[in-house]
Amino acid sequence: MEEILLGAKRLSLLKQNMPLPKYQRFHYPQIAASQSRITGVYGARGVGKTTLLLQVLRNLPLQRENTLYISCDHPMLQGVSLFDLVDSFCKSGGECMVIDEIHEAEDFEAHLKSIYDFLNIRVYFSGSSAVRITNPDFARRYSMYHLPILSLREYLEISLSIQLEPVTLPKLLADHEALAHRLIQALPNGKILKYFEEYLRVGAYPFYFEDTHKYVDRLGETINTALHSDLGKLFHIPPDKIATLKKLLHTISISKPLELSIDKLASLTGITKTTLYKYIDYLSRAELVRHISHEAKRFGAIRKADKLYLSNTNLFSALSVEKEKGTLRETFFASMAGVHHQLHYLDQGDFLVDEKYTMEIGGRTKGFGQVQDLDNAWVIADGLEIGSGRKVPLWLFGFLY
């Protein structure tokens, strides 16, 4: 174990000496101020979990030799007991450790529990978004933070080197005209719709800014890694079934949200309905797919198919050529509003948000015909810079976090 620890310290020094982006994701202040002995960050591949934890580690008031960064997917750590490694570091004076890709470690849940119970060390760890599901104790025992994709607000902050404040949903709906004016004026050229179109294509993942020309290729690699590494290992999916998962993902990407019944999906992908439900759940956990149930299912009163969306609009570029405009709009809305709010779909309107707001998504000429007799109904319009009354620009929902 001593040799492994020495090797880990050398790699940690190299990693911590690498340049880091100045931009800090919105969870940084809470994580940096966390008093919990174990703090976890989970989320989809590529959203910036490693960068965030390295930023936290670098700014801690500790000597560098008393901190350690490891990544559990490194070959050197294959077959190594995570608890034993942390214990050895602790005995050598270690005070804080970042454990990246923790889901790659065998029996990581049991090892984390033992670290929490027996070792006096602060640990930050990152893991697949599926980690939060596999052990409900995580939410009770540790401080857990979900890191979603970049919001439109964050994309603009990074792209334009400006600062823009997030807005709550009630505030957005109550003051959307004034908010839109103020936000557009904060942009160097005021062309919010231009930046919005960019975001729909390339704005979801921070690695876009590392090499803009290779973004789609890297996005494809990110999807493959999520399927093979995260889902394959966490749920013991045989390699030959990963191809089926990818086929399912592609089928969803070229279909309208309610176009595919479970029977049709099962036929297209060649798998049983029972397995299909399980695979859709896996893709949801990896934040590649978002499924939204009908509002009547809250009461168990009716059987309705779930709507299936890609998790964000950028995934279309890596999975398919076709992008149906209506699906793209709804996908963006769900990806932004779904981070902090509960979503269902309706027979009248597209989304019920927090069991309170009915949202109809459409183009700039979209009217209230489908929702005119509903209370608290709103039209969310694409192609609109500034709204009026209960008609709100779609892009504004990119400022919810």
Side-chain angles (χ1 to χ4, degrees):
M1 186 57 69
E2 184 177 344
E3 286 297 318
I4 292 173
L5 182 58
L6 284 173
K9 286 183 174 181
R10 182 179 65 82
L11 292 177
S12 175
L13 186 62
L14 292 173
K15 188 71 173 180
Q16 293 191 59
N17 283 336
M18 292 176 66
L20 289 174
K22 292 182 180 180
Y23 187 81
Q24 297 168 341
R25 295 290 312 272
F26 68 98
H27 272 319
Y28 177 87
Q30 301 102 298
I31 295 172
S34 173
Q35 296 300 305
S36 177
R37 286 197 294 114
I38 296 188
T39 301
V41 179
Y42 66 90
R45 284 272 174 179
V47 295
K49 302 184 296 294
T50 300
T51 297
L52 175 60
L53 291 185
L54 285 171
Q55 289 171 331
V56 170
L57 188 64
R58 180 170 291 183
N59 291 322
L60 289 173
L62 298 174
Q63 295 296 317
R64 183 67 62 89
E65 60 268 23
N66 294 330
T67 66
L68 184 69
Y69 167 90
I70 64 167
S71 181
C72 293
D73 63 354
H74 194 281
M76 181 182 69
L77 298 179
Q78 298 306 301
V80 173
S81 163
L82 185 61
F83 176 84
D84 289 346
L85 179 60
V86 178
D87 185 33
S88 294
F89 177 59
C90 198
K91 288 175 180 175
S92 70
E95 297 179 64
C96 182
M97 192 166 177
V98 165
I99 305 174
D100 210 2
E101 307 287 358
I102 199 168
H103 56 278
E104 294 277 355
E106 188 175 351
D107 296 325
F108 67 89
E109 296 169 8
H111 287 277
L112 261 186
K113 182 180 182 300
S114 295
I115 292 167
Y116 181 87
D117 290 340
F118 299 107
L119 302 181
N120 183 24
I121 187 170
R122 176 177 290 187
V123 171
Y124 298 90
F125 71 88
S126 79
S128 162
S129 51
V131 167
R132 74 190 192 279
I133 304 296
T134 57
N135 190 341
D137 274 351
F138 279 12
R140 296 192 295 269
R141 189 178 295 270
Y142 319 129
S143 293
M144 296 290 291
Y145 295 87
H146 173 233
L147 192 65
I149 58 169
L150 290 176
S151 65
L152 173 62
R153 179 188 71 86
E154 292 178 296
Y155 173 73
L156 291 172
E157 286 190 324
I158 299 172
S159 299
L160 304 174
S161 299
I162 59 177
Q163 188 171 348
L164 301 164
E165 292 299 318
V167 60
T168 65
L169 181 58
K171 176 73 172 175
L172 187 156
L173 295 176
D175 300 327
H176 65 87
E177 292 181 53
L179 280 168
H181 277 289
R182 187 160 66 247
L183 290 170
I184 289 172
Q185 288 174 358
L187 304 181
N189 55 19
K191 296 182 179 179
I192 184 59
L193 296 182
K194 168 184 173 293
Y195 292 116
F196 180 49
E197 289 299 321
E198 285 179 7
Y199 173 84
L200 294 178
R201 291 184 293 104
V202 299
Y205 297 91
F207 57 75
Y208 168 72
F209 297 97
E210 296 174 13
D211 187 344
T212 58
H213 299 292
K214 293 288 186 179
Y215 180 67
V216 174
D217 291 339
R218 188 163 173 190
L219 192 53
E221 293 167 5
T222 299
I223 293 170
N224 285 330
T225 304
L227 294 174
H228 288 273
S229 182
D230 297 354
L231 294 183
K233 290 187 178 180
L234 277 171
F235 301 110
H236 311 291
I237 303 171
D240 62 307
K241 299 301 181 185
I242 298 295
T244 305
L245 273 176
K246 191 164 186 180
K247 183 178 180 181
L248 175 58
L249 193 61
H250 181 265
T251 302
I252 293 170
S253 76
I254 60 175
S255 307
K256 293 182 179 180
L258 275 179
E259 188 178 84
L260 291 171
S261 66
I262 289 296
D263 287 331
K264 187 173 181 181
L265 262 178
S267 175
L268 286 170
T269 54
I271 55 181
T272 66
K273 287 195 286 186
T274 301
T275 302
L276 179 59
Y277 281 118
K278 185 167 61 176
Y279 281 6
I280 289 172
D281 182 49
Y282 291 163
L283 292 174
S284 299
R285 295 183 186 194
E287 297 186 47
L288 293 172
V289 163
R290 182 184 302 273
H291 71 270
I292 297 176
S293 62
H294 192 276
E295 59 93 18
K297 282 192 172 182
R298 294 175 294 159
F299 314 109
I302 193 170
R303 295 189 66 182
K304 286 271 192 176
D306 290 344
K307 275 190 173 185
L308 296 174
Y309 294 94
L310 291 185
S311 186
N312 66 75
T313 60
N314 287 196
L315 296 177
F316 285 100
S317 299
L319 292 169
S320 64
V321 178
E322 303 173 41
K323 300 184 186 70
E324 203 275 326
K325 192 66 175 176
T327 300
L328 200 67
R329 292 165 180 158
E330 292 182 30
T331 300
F332 169 77
F333 179 87
S335 69
M336 297 291 101
V339 171
H340 293 311
H341 299 278
Q342 185 183 64
L343 302 181
H344 294 89
Y345 79 90
L346 303 145
D347 293 328
Q348 275 186 280
D350 290 311
F351 295 99
L352 178 66
V353 182
D354 292 340
E355 303 186 6
K356 182 177 180 181
Y357 308 102
T358 298
M359 306 290 194
E360 174 74 11
I361 317 296
R364 64 177 296 124
T365 61
K366 185 73 175 181
F368 285 83
Q370 292 176 267
V371 294
Q372 61 184 353
D373 56 340
L374 299 178
D375 294 331
N376 219 349
W378 302 77
V379 167
I380 313 303
D382 189 15
L384 194 67
E385 289 186 320
I386 298 171
S388 176
R390 289 184 294 120
K391 191 168 185 177
V392 184
L394 178 61
W395 64 264
L396 260 181
F397 289 83
F399 285 76
L400 288 176
Y401 68 88

